[in-house]
Amino acid sequence: MAGFLKILFRNLLNGPSTDPYPMGPTFSPQRIRGRAKVDPNLCMGCGMCRYSCTAGAINIAHLPDGSGYTITIWQNSCCRCASCRHYCPTGAMSVTDDWHSAHPEKDKFNRLEQQTIKYTPCADCGALMRPVPAHLAQRLYAENKEIDTEKIRHICPKCRRIEDAKRTARRLLTPAPEPMKAAELTSPRPQDTR
Ligand code: SF4
Ligand code: SF4
């Protein structure tokens, strides 16, 4: 009896060891997969997330006037698999730690993550397009220092192909350096004379 009272008083002094949820706040475990979210600044409308979504929870619809598109994630269909985040090439898709999903019946069709994203004109030809995110352009063209990544990310795929062809032509038409003279070839290199 004394042991029981000891434990009882110790627990009373320590207070509750469970959260008061749903009457009060609780915590989000680290690395929990909650609500999927799309960053409109990074999304290019490639459709990879829709293609890879195991639950068919993502839709991409073009605006009637062709000025952009709307990407929608149906939260009530999403099974939190994070496949969209895994396959998104730009990092636009993320899975937040918002795991709350209780909602009134009347809201079941309103639980959407939705972004309407507008196209911008290509810097060269004016065709409507989505700019390549800056971090992606820097990675794509990291090995080619002659490319202005800030410019190229604002031109459409067709104009990028034209730019690429021009660069190739310049490279092919640039005269090759003079062949080394026989005397240079036979003279000892500095390290050979040490
Ligand atoms: S969120 Fe990512 S995968 Fe989905 S359309 Fe946008 S860029 Fe493509
Ligand atoms: S987390 Fe899975 S089910 Fe949810 S939107 Fe992404 S791919 Fe679809």
Side-chain angles (χ1 to χ4, degrees):
M1 187 66 181
F4 168 75
L5 287 175
K6 196 172 155 194
I7 293 170
L8 176 67
F9 281 118
R10 190 183 64 205
N11 287 350
L12 283 173
L13 286 175
N14 285 345
S17 38
T18 54
D19 288 340
Y21 190 79
M23 312 309 283
T26 186
F27 73 106
S28 295
Q30 275 186 343
R31 302 184 62 196
I32 193 170
R33 293 199 299 242
R35 202 175 164 112
K37 193 173 169 200
V38 63
D39 181 341
N41 297 314
L42 296 180
C43 179
M44 293 181 64
C46 67
M48 196 62 207
C49 54
R50 179 179 57 182
Y51 182 75
S52 65
C53 178
T54 45
I58 300 177
N59 187 44
I60 298 176
H62 295 284
L63 298 180
D65 61 0
S67 64
Y69 58 93
T70 299
I71 180 166
T72 306
I73 307 169
W74 298 87
Q75 297 297 338
N76 272 15
S77 299
C78 174
C79 63
R80 316 287 195 232
C81 68
S83 179
C84 52
R85 178 183 65 183
H86 181 79
Y87 287 105
C88 176
T90 66
M93 193 63 84
S94 61
V95 174
T96 68
D97 64 357
D98 178 6
W99 47 268
H100 300 88
S101 57
H103 58 275
E105 171 76 7
K106 67 179 173 53
D107 290 341
K108 65 181 176 183
F109 295 121
N110 300 333
R111 300 189 65 250
L112 307 176
E113 161 70 17
Q114 195 168 60
Q115 297 287 350
T116 293
I117 297 164
K118 293 281 191 166
Y119 294 126
T120 53
C122 165
D124 274 3
C125 70
L128 290 178
M129 45 88 63
R130 283 290 295 153
V132 178
H135 72 286
L136 199 60
Q138 278 155 14
R139 271 176 56 197
L140 284 172
Y141 300 105
E143 290 181 5
N144 198 333
K145 301 295 175 209
E146 73 174 289
I147 294 178
D148 179 350
T149 52
E150 194 46 35
K151 176 177 180 239
I152 205 158
R153 77 187 194 87
H154 286 100
I155 62 178
C156 69
K158 188 174 152 202
C159 291
R160 281 204 293 274
R161 281 197 294 276
I162 293 171
E163 285 290 317
D164 192 39
K166 283 185 192 164
R167 272 196 308 277
T168 307
R170 271 200 302 274
R171 203 170 53 242
L172 293 176
L173 294 174
T174 304
E178 289 272 316
M180 290 179 82
K181 293 185 186 128
E184 288 173 0
L185 286 171
T186 51
S187 63
R189 292 172 300 173
Q191 63 267 36
D192 295 338
T193 59
R194 281 184 213 145

